Amino acid sequence: MEDRDPGVRPATTVVCRGRPAPAPGVSLNAPVTFASTFTADGDYVYGRSENPTWEPVEDILGDLEGGAAVLFASGMAAATATVSLLDAGATVVAPTGAYNGVHELLDEAAAAGRLTVRWRDSSDTAATIAALDGAAMLWIESPTNPLLDLADIPVLATAARERGAIVVCDNTFATPLLQRPLHEGADIVVHSVSKYLSGHSDLVLGACVTAPTERGREAHAKLVRHRLLGGAIPGPMEAWLAARGIRTLAVRLERASRNAAVLAALLAGHPGVQRVRYPGFGAMIAVEVRGGGVGADAVCQAARLISRSTSLGGVETQWERRRRYAAEPQTTPENLIRISVGIEDVEDVWADVRQALDAGGGTPG
Ligand SMILES: *Cc1c(COP(=O)(O)O)cnc(C)c1O
């Protein structure tokens, strides 16, 4: 891959980074390499240890976050690799509102006696800091999925590092275009690349990005090792699709964020809506509707345009009632609908939201 011009801005990085060095007749795009093995004595040996198709995504993501990226088979594989950095019996401080997969991962590790987990509301900075004594890791997710709570990353990171804890931040919701946790003191950023980065609801992939520090480099080597031995490697096709998807990240996010701001304001004025959670940036909204869980289900079902599906960060607007999953933490209200705002014409999305609220349980009562 070519040397990057260090001066470029993120919206240029996503377009220009991770391409073959230009030369007459050379493809603009890196090819997809389907290979379990490579002829001996070169840079590539075996498909579980390396594949050139992983590199464009790692290069782009590393540049965007300001660190070194390690691509994994999924966001949860990246989270699992990160948790594996802890010694047996270590203590983790983690957000009560963490993504349910991370919640279950840590809960099960705790139940098996491998870790101690102190769950704290990470928007409560004082409570989180008070829990840090003796902790080996602080896990941050901001905004959280699905409550959209925000953490004070610089303050928490400083407090954690003063106490010797490694600082991890799940940056899936904000993306590095809106928030760069490594610049705010985090040691490792975790991503579900399945979401905004790839952006088309067509693949599952994850990544860790480590800080350009001694601690970061140490973690990076261990994460690469975990990928090699754990075997949760990205498929070449997924990696290639992610590189293709990330090219449009800046324009997708800009449009989706603009749509989200419009929708959040309109939702707040609808009588069927009790509460709108919207952090003021990004393209995720959570609404609590009238009529409880039944009402929220009815609203979701009434959609004609909006996709009734889980996941987020795709070009299409999606929504779902989170508590339909048994694994969803009890802290998520029954009547909460998570909306991942897409890049459609916002008038059409609002028309569908409004008719669904009118048709479903979200009517005044
Ligand atoms: C989806 C998600 C994950 C898990 O990622 P997968 O790619 O589905 O494994 C982790 N964290 C957050 C915040 C997510 O939204």
Side-chain angles (χ1 to χ4, degrees):
M1 298 296 138
E2 96 286 27
D3 279 339
R4 143 190 97 108
D5 172 352
V8 303
R9 293 164 181 80
T12 306
T13 298
V14 297
V15 174
C16 298
R17 184 81 162 111
R19 294 188 184 276
V26 168
S27 164
L28 259 63
N29 292 302
V32 55
T33 301
F34 293 111
S36 63
T37 191
F38 302 82
T39 302
D41 304 326
D43 290 340
Y44 302 99
V45 178
Y46 184 57
R48 179 157 43 75
S49 27
E50 54 268 313
N51 181 307
T53 318
W54 302 347
E55 291 165 17
V57 187
E58 292 183 336
D59 290 348
I60 297 165
L61 202 46
D63 267 16
L64 290 177
E65 291 285 10
V70 187
L71 207 57
F72 284 91
S74 65
M76 284 310 298
T80 300
T82 303
V83 170
S84 83
L85 298 173
L86 293 166
D87 292 335
T91 295
V92 188
V93 177
T96 321
Y99 168 65
N100 67 28
V102 169
H103 231 280
E104 290 192 285
L105 177 73
L106 293 177
D107 271 342
E108 290 187 11
R114 290 196 295 273
L115 296 175
T116 298
V117 188
R118 296 180 187 148
W119 296 105
R120 294 294 182 277
D121 172 358
S122 58
S123 61
D124 186 339
T125 305
T128 303
I129 291 176
L132 283 171
D133 280 330
M137 182 178 280
L138 169 64
W139 191 282
I140 298 172
E141 184 180 311
S142 183
T144 55
N145 179 359
L147 297 184
L148 300 169
D149 288 331
L150 300 179
D152 189 338
I153 300 172
V155 170
L156 291 177
T158 302
R161 291 171 61 156
E162 278 169 7
R163 290 160 179 79
I166 193 161
V167 181
V168 179
C169 184
D170 185 330
N171 202 26
T172 299
F173 269 37
T175 84
L177 295 189
L178 300 179
Q179 169 172 283
R180 302 212 290 168
L182 299 184
H183 292 252
E184 299 183 358
D187 299 297
I188 303 172
V189 161
V190 171
H191 276 288
S192 171
V193 178
S194 327
K195 315 291 170 56
Y196 286 102
L197 297 174
S198 61
H200 294 76
S201 308
D202 53 6
L203 62 92
V204 173
L205 214 56
C208 295
V209 191
T210 55
T213 58
E214 177 94 30
R215 277 153 72 96
R217 276 185 280 274
E218 239 172 69
H220 188 269
K222 289 181 183 168
L223 292 167
V224 168
R225 205 78 205 126
H226 189 277
R227 179 175 65 184
L228 172 73
L229 299 177
I233 56 162
M237 194 67 212
E238 281 76 5
W240 186 86
L241 279 170
R244 181 188 162 111
I246 208 169
R247 298 287 179 217
T248 55
L249 174 63
V251 285
R252 281 187 285 106
L253 196 63
E254 193 179 306
R255 169 61 169 256
S257 299
R258 205 164 355 114
N259 284 356
V262 171
L263 284 178
L266 289 167
L267 281 161
H270 192 284
V273 172
Q274 283 178 327
R275 178 174 178 185
V276 179
R277 296 167 183 261
Y278 168 62
F281 64 93
M284 296 301 300
I285 302 174
V287 285
E288 291 163 40
V289 299
R290 294 192 195 279
V294 174
D297 276 335
V299 170
C300 289
Q301 301 242 345
R304 293 179 191 145
L305 182 80
I306 297 169
S307 167
R308 215 155 47 77
S309 54
T310 195
S311 197
L312 58 110
V315 291
E316 64 289 308
T317 301
Q318 298 173 268
W319 68 8
E320 67 173 342
R321 185 174 81 86
R322 286 301 283 179
R323 283 294 294 280
R324 55 205 272 269
Y325 302 108
E328 186 67 17
Q330 309 265 317
T331 43
T332 300
E334 285 283 358
N335 63 340
L336 181 139
I337 299 172
R338 188 186 70 188
I339 309 175
S340 171
V341 180
I343 64 169
E344 305 92 337
D345 188 312
V346 71
E347 295 296 329
D348 291 322
V349 180
W350 171 242
D352 197 34
V353 170
R354 196 181 43 197
Q355 71 78 23
L357 283 167
D358 293 344
T363 44

